[in-house]
């Protein structure tokens, strides 16, 4: 496989994984939001909380279908894009993939159908417990995927025998230092994404018709959820930064665009990394503030990119993907504060925002997706050229397919994902415009 084919393989796999991530985040965040809505139906404003649940459960079901469908190409591409990977690490990541799929099918078969179609057959308490089980099922499914990625980047609990990774202790495998921070990034990021999604959709609803109590309650809940998730996300980002400096010094150096080892670096905020010149162009920097985020060798000297010349990560992609994610997160924080200040005198009512302001929030509803894609690119592409630890590089396990075949596959997947995204937004637009419109009144329908 040529270098071009390898780059196209990276693009194809990240495209499929990124598309799955978008809807997995919606599914994961909405599962817990729906549980919160259901719990609140036991108190005051029960009818309004139930109305919020009935509206958002439709979008949860749509996100579940798309994330489940998007997971199939990701599984296929493990074998088609990296055919040699499973032969070496299949004993480790195979059981993790199996556990994730088993969790998915158990919660789908046992609880999801009951949650969506049997609400009228159950008491409110029993149905709430079912919603809880669905939320736990989605969380467990996502956990195993995060555990697999975390182990691949910081392998623990294994031994390598004749080129094959063999598990010594599963508890040690799941004790990889990357797991708690990657899990925190996904779960906090998903909740923040869902919070902005609810804010944007609710603002869109108020532009179509007078605001109702269920929309006010959803809007207020999203504001508080967004603030809490943002704080949790900051904690996870800081912890992940220290973990990266210790266990992935090459990625840390690429993130900081730190070329020459030893000197105390500045914290570079905005720049154009130039691999040809081993420098950065057009710098906006914070003097002598970057050392804490960099790895050190056994002598305590800061490690720059000059020590990883034989296996250097893609500096520009790593540098900018991290900053795109951080910029999106910072913008979400300022929007949360701005919306809270604008609506607090009116009981956090979305209708207190001007029409233009609500239009802005509708556009901002995709900021969570931008943040997630930037973060995923930083975590995954910043680890290249390696796929597992510092042992297995992508070039060692790549497919032998020619550039034309890989490019054709990339084009096909891109078209499918564009069509799926168009269909999703059309369904979302219909839900915003018409709300919950039952198409049948058979017993057992939600």
């Amino acid at each position: 496989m040529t270098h071009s084919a390898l780059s196209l393989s990276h693009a194809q796999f990240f495209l499929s994984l990124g598309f799955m991530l978008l809807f997995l985040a919606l599914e994961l965040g909405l599962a817990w939001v729906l549980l919160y809505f259901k719990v609140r139906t036991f108190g005051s404003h029960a009818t309004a909380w139930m109305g919020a649940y009935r509206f958002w459960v439709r979008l949860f079901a749509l996100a579940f279908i798309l994330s489940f469908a998007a997971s199939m190409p990701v599984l296929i591409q493990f074998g088609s894009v990296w055919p040699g990977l499973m032969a070496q690490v299949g004993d480790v990541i195979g059981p993790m993939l199996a556990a994730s799929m088993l969790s998915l099918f158990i919660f789908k078969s046992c609880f999801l159908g009951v949650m969506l179609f049997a609400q009228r057959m159950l008491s409110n308490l029993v149905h709430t417990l079912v919603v809880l089980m669905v939320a736990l099922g989605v969380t467990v499914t996502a956990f195993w995927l995060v555990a697999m990625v975390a182990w691949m980047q910081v392998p623990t609990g294994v031994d390598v025998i004749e080129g094959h990774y063999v598990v010594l202790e599963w508890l040690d495998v799941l004790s990889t230092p990357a797991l708690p921070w990657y899990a925190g990034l996904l779960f906090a990021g998903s909740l923040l994404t869902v919070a902005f999604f609810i804010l944007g959709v609710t603002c869109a609803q108020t532009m179509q018709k007078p605001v109702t109590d269920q929309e006010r309650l959803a809007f207020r809940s999203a504001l508080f959820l967004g603030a809490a998730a943002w704080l949790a996300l900051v904690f996870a980002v800081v912890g992940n930064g220290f973990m990266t400096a210790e266990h992935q010094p090459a990625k840390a150096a690429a993130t900081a665009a730190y070329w020459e080892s030893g000197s105390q670096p500045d914290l570079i905020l905005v720049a154009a990394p130039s691999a040809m010149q081993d420098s950065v162009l057009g710098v906006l920097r914070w003097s002598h503030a970057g050392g804490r985020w960099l790895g050190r060798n056994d002598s305590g000297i800061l490690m720059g990119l000059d020590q990883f010349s034989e296996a250097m990560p893609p500096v520009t992609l790593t540098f900018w993907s991290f900053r795109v994610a951080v910029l999106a997160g910072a913008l979400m924080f300022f929007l949360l504060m701005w919306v809270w200040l604008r609506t607090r005198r009116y009981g956090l009512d979305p209708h207190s925002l001007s029409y233009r302001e609500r239009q802005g929030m509708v556009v901002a509803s995709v900021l969570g997706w931008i943040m997630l894609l930037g973060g995923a690119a930083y975590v995954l592409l910043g680890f290249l050229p390696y796929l597992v630890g510092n042992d297995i590089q992508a070039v060692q396990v790549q497919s032998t397919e020619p550039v034309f075949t890989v490019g054709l596959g990339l084009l096909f997947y891109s078209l499918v994902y564009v069509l799926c995204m168009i269909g999703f937004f059309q369904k979302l637009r219909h839900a915003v415009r018409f709300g919950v419109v039952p198409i049948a009144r058979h017993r057992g329908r939600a």
Side-chain angles (χ1 to χ4, degrees):
M1 178 182 282
T2 64
H3 181 74
S4 298
L6 181 60
S7 299
L8 289 175
S9 296
H10 289 317
Q12 182 185 121
F13 186 73
F14 182 76
L15 175 68
S16 298
L17 192 64
F19 185 80
M20 183 189 74
L21 176 63
L22 298 181
F23 293 101
L24 176 63
L26 283 185
E27 177 189 359
L28 178 60
L30 280 175
W32 291 102
V33 169
L34 290 174
L35 176 63
Y36 173 74
F37 287 167
K38 281 291 295 181
V39 170
R40 292 302 301 267
T41 60
F42 291 95
S44 58
H45 307 289
T47 302
W49 286 111
M50 184 60 72
Y53 168 84
R54 290 172 62 83
F55 176 82
W56 285 101
V57 75
R58 267 70 175 174
L59 299 182
F60 166 80
L62 184 58
F64 165 78
I65 292 171
L66 288 172
S67 67
F68 177 74
S71 67
M72 295 299 105
V74 174
L75 294 176
I76 293 171
Q77 288 173 26
F78 260 107
S80 63
V81 178
W82 320 114
L85 182 61
M86 292 299 291
Q88 297 187 50
V89 298
D91 290 344
V92 185
I93 66 175
M96 293 187 187
L97 286 173
S100 179
M101 297 306 296
L102 181 63
S103 303
L104 172 65
F105 281 108
I106 287 177
F107 103 82
K108 175 180 177 291
S109 302
C110 299
F111 301 107
L112 185 62
V114 177
M115 171 184 170
L116 296 177
F117 304 114
Q119 182 176 355
R120 290 192 175 94
M121 294 181 177
L122 306 173
S123 67
N124 194 28
L125 176 59
V126 173
H127 189 260
T128 302
L129 293 176
V130 171
V131 176
L132 170 62
M133 295 306 299
V134 168
L136 291 174
V138 174
T139 303
V140 171
T141 300
F143 169 81
W144 285 113
L145 296 177
V146 175
M148 181 185 68
V149 174
W151 178 86
M152 290 176 66
Q153 299 215 355
V154 187
T156 55
V158 296
D159 193 10
V160 182
I161 302 177
E162 297 182 353
H164 298 276
Y165 282 69
V166 178
V167 176
L168 298 178
E169 179 62 51
W170 273 107
L171 185 59
D172 292 337
V173 170
L174 297 178
S175 298
T176 171
L179 180 55
W181 305 116
Y182 285 2
L185 290 173
L186 176 63
F187 296 140
S190 297
L191 291 173
L192 184 57
T193 298
V194 165
F196 263 77
F197 198 70
I198 294 175
L199 291 174
V201 170
T202 304
C203 286
Q205 288 178 295
T206 64
M207 294 161 62
Q208 297 286 336
K209 54 186 175 61
V211 66
T212 63
D213 287 341
Q214 72 182 51
E215 290 153 5
R216 290 190 185 94
L217 293 176
F219 187 85
R220 294 171 190 168
S221 301
L223 272 179
F224 289 113
L225 173 64
W230 192 89
L231 292 175
L233 185 61
V234 170
F235 178 77
V237 168
V238 172
N240 180 72
F242 289 126
M243 184 279 299
T244 301
E246 181 178 357
H247 298 282
Q248 300 173 326
K251 183 194 291 187
T255 306
Y258 179 56
W259 293 96
E260 297 182 3
S261 302
S263 60
Q264 181 62 234
D266 299 334
L267 180 60
I268 299 175
L269 305 177
V270 178
S274 174
M276 298 299 295
Q277 302 178 22
D278 292 354
S279 62
V280 288
L281 308 176
V283 175
L284 176 62
R285 65 178 73 212
W286 181 358
S287 297
H288 305 298
R292 69 186 63 184
W293 308 107
L294 294 170
R296 296 177 182 268
N297 60 20
D298 294 337
S299 301
I301 299 174
L302 294 173
M303 302 172 68
L305 289 167
D306 56 344
Q307 297 194 20
F308 307 99
S309 57
E310 296 183 358
M312 186 181 297
V315 179
T316 302
L317 278 175
T318 307
F319 183 90
W320 279 112
S321 60
F322 177 78
R323 279 152 181 79
V324 166
V326 170
L327 179 61
L331 186 56
M332 294 168 84
F333 170 76
F334 287 115
L335 285 175
L336 282 172
M337 295 299 100
W338 169 72
V339 170
W340 180 77
L341 290 173
R342 289 282 289 114
T343 59
R344 64 190 178 94
R345 294 183 180 179
Y346 306 95
L348 303 180
D349 190 329
H351 220 281
S352 59
L353 298 172
S354 69
Y355 188 85
R356 291 292 185 186
E357 290 170 335
R358 280 176 279 164
Q359 282 183 322
M361 289 305 299
V362 172
V363 175
S365 62
V366 299
L367 278 176
W369 277 357
I370 296 173
M371 178 189 68
L372 288 173
L373 288 177
Y378 164 72
V379 169
L380 299 176
L381 301 183
F383 190 60
L384 295 176
Y386 294 102
L387 291 181
V388 178
N390 293 323
D391 299 322
I392 302 178
Q393 295 190 9
V395 69
Q396 297 173 310
V397 295
Q398 63 190 6
S399 170
T400 58
E401 297 295 333
V403 175
F404 175 78
T405 303
V406 179
L408 188 62
L410 176 60
L411 178 61
F412 172 77
Y413 281 118
S414 300
L415 291 175
V416 171
Y417 294 149
V418 168
L419 291 175
C420 289
M421 194 66 74
I422 292 174
F424 172 77
F425 279 107
Q426 285 182 337
K427 289 292 186 182
L428 179 61
R429 181 174 177 272
H430 184 275
V432 168
R433 185 175 181 182
F434 298 105
V436 178
V437 181
I439 59 174
R441 283 295 183 181
H442 300 302
R443 183 180 179 187
R445 291 293 179 93

